[in-house]
Amino acid sequence: MGVEEAQGGDGKLKEDTEGGGGGEKLSVPTSVPFTKLLSYADAVDWILIALGTLGSVVHGMAQPVGYLLLGKALNSFGSNIGDVNLMVDALYKVVPFVWYMAIA
């Protein structure tokens, strides 16, 4: 018996009368809307929600920033192909940003 079958139209639990259980009550909890779920959150929960949201934003930005840094590194190779010293100097300008991204 699924959750939909165990709940009546009013969200209350039905009694399980199948299989000779003697009318045992089925202990299937009713579902609550998402907004009602958030109403039970205390201050610690809201802080954790905010930190999780911030972490997901930073994690989502990692790939585009990585591609941006890769593009800058490749540009430093391509624009200074004739002079190795200028190429290394241009790469040294990109390397700290790669470290910042690796730390973050």
Side-chain angles (χ1 to χ4, degrees):
M1 180 182 274
V3 174
E4 293 83 16
E5 296 171 356
Q7 294 178 351
D10 55 359
K12 295 182 181 175
L13 297 178
K14 289 183 179 180
E15 290 185 9
D16 183 13
T17 56
E18 295 179 4
E24 299 171 356
K25 291 203 177 205
L26 190 63
S27 61
V28 177
T30 59
S31 61
V32 295
F34 188 69
T35 55
K36 179 93 172 166
L37 183 66
L38 289 177
S39 69
Y40 294 112
D42 58 358
V44 174
D45 293 332
W46 284 108
I47 290 171
L48 291 174
I49 289 170
L51 288 175
T53 303
L54 179 67
S56 66
V57 167
V58 169
H59 181 73
M61 287 175 33
Q63 187 175 10
V65 170
Y67 285 140
L68 179 72
L69 293 175
L70 178 64
K72 287 187 177 199
L74 291 175
N75 281 340
S76 66
F77 279 118
S79 61
N80 299 311
I81 196 75
D83 191 2
V84 177
N85 291 330
L86 284 177
M87 185 186 311
V88 171
D89 289 339
L91 281 175
Y92 279 150
K93 292 177 184 175
V94 177
V95 168
F97 294 107
V98 174
W99 279 109
Y100 300 149
M101 186 179 151
I103 291 170

